[in-house]
Amino acid sequence: MQLTPTERDRLLIFTAAELARARRARGLRLNVPEAIALVSDTVCEAARDGLRLAEAVRRGRRVLSTDDVLPGVPDLVTEIQVEAVFEDGTRLAVIADPFGGGTLGAAAPGAVLHGSDNGGDTGGDTGRSTDSGSGTDSGTDGRTRPVHTLAVRNTADVPISVTSHFHFFEVNPRLAFDRAAAYGTHLAVPAGSSVRFDPGATVEVGLVPIGGERVAIGFAGLVDGPLDSPRARQEALRRAAEQGYLGAVDDGRESQANQANRENQP
């Protein structure tokens, strides 16, 4: 059977989670890998069951308590991130304070605790996916308000969703906006949430700078390194323009996105 890297990663999480469930059923406290795997698997299975992102995050946060893990684990694991496949696509789920609930027990999606009824959770939470209680973006630079806003138009025939901490400069090439202005930023939304762009729609989004060491690895491969290195921005714009990313133009020129948005104004 041929499996993609993503599918292999999912099976690895499930296998580690099953080991964690078996040890937990024997009365053992879980270590760091076991706890992370069990919470991650719970979120992935909740997504597979058709729950929304916020509800899946809520279940992940409730599957373990501090009594279920070894001493020190809550201090080491303050946040868990896992990509799960929901009905509307793959989303990044961020579980803050993952051992703060611990009320699901055998009701956790996918849990197979020996001797349990493995019942279902009937609760629902349609609020923020971070479940952090802050109600604001807690990005790596600590900012809570947008530094600037951009008008973004979806020129594709299908909806496009962008998650909170994706380098916005490198999002889908069919999204038309000022790429140069978005360099080194991410959405000013709660961690783990996303913004949806419907076909033909223009959405105004707030952006904040990427914090920490300001290194962008992966994404669309337009940067793959320190954001503030000499000529990194100029080289990223050149790559984006060559690959057909809308709005990618040289500094000092009006972006294609701004031109398109202005021409579409009534």
Side-chain angles (χ1 to χ4, degrees):
M1 179 173 63
Q2 298 295 325
L3 297 174
T4 66
T6 299
E7 291 168 337
R8 288 197 294 269
D9 289 344
R10 178 68 190 96
L11 288 177
L12 179 61
I13 291 174
F14 173 78
T15 302
E18 283 294 282
L19 176 62
R21 292 184 184 106
R23 289 178 174 174
R24 185 184 178 204
R26 300 203 309 267
L28 301 178
R29 288 189 169 192
L30 305 183
N31 58 25
V32 168
E34 293 164 350
I36 292 176
L38 183 51
V39 172
S40 299
D41 184 68
T42 298
V43 172
C44 290
E45 287 302 301
R48 185 67 176 85
D49 288 341
L51 298 186
R52 297 170 58 185
L53 175 61
E55 296 167 331
V57 168
R58 177 172 177 264
R59 281 197 172 181
R61 189 171 180 270
R62 294 179 59 203
V63 69
L64 293 175
S65 70
T66 54
D67 293 334
D68 297 315
V69 297
L70 291 170
V73 171
D75 297 323
L76 293 173
V77 185
T78 58
E79 181 180 273
I80 296 174
Q81 298 185 15
V82 61
E83 287 191 345
V85 180
F86 294 84
E87 291 182 347
D88 57 349
T90 301
R91 300 287 188 89
L92 176 66
V94 180
I95 304 93
D97 188 20
F99 313 118
T103 60
L104 277 184
V112 187
L113 298 180
H114 301 294
S116 71
D117 295 330
N118 196 27
D121 173 38
T122 58
D125 181 6
T126 57
R128 295 184 305 275
S129 61
T130 57
D131 203 17
S132 63
S134 66
T136 59
D137 176 33
S138 55
T140 52
D141 57 356
R143 294 180 181 270
T144 59
R145 294 182 179 179
V147 171
H148 58 272
T149 59
L150 286 179
V152 181
R153 183 165 60 91
N154 182 7
T155 67
D157 296 328
V158 296
I160 296 173
S161 292
V162 179
T163 52
S164 58
H165 281 63
F166 197 96
H167 184 202
F168 204 78
F169 172 82
E170 303 184 62
V171 297
N172 194 295
R174 305 321 300 167
L175 291 178
F177 60 93
D178 191 340
R179 298 270 170 178
Y183 184 83
T185 68
H186 64 80
L187 287 168
V189 297
S193 62
S194 63
V195 174
R196 176 187 172 103
F197 302 89
D198 290 321
T202 297
V203 179
E204 191 171 84
V205 299
L207 301 173
V208 294
I210 293 174
E213 297 181 356
R214 288 183 58 76
V215 175
I217 299 295
F219 300 110
L222 298 179
V223 180
D224 268 344
L227 289 162
D228 302 322
S229 294
R231 297 184 60 82
R233 185 174 184 271
Q234 182 178 344
E235 180 63 19
L237 281 167
R238 183 190 65 78
R239 292 178 183 174
E242 287 182 351
Q243 297 177 30
Y245 280 74
L246 295 179
V249 295
D250 293 335
D251 292 347
R253 294 170 53 193
E254 183 179 26
S255 73
Q256 297 173 14
N258 282 351
Q259 292 175 0
N261 288 334
R262 188 183 69 251
E263 291 169 357
N264 284 308
Q265 291 297 323

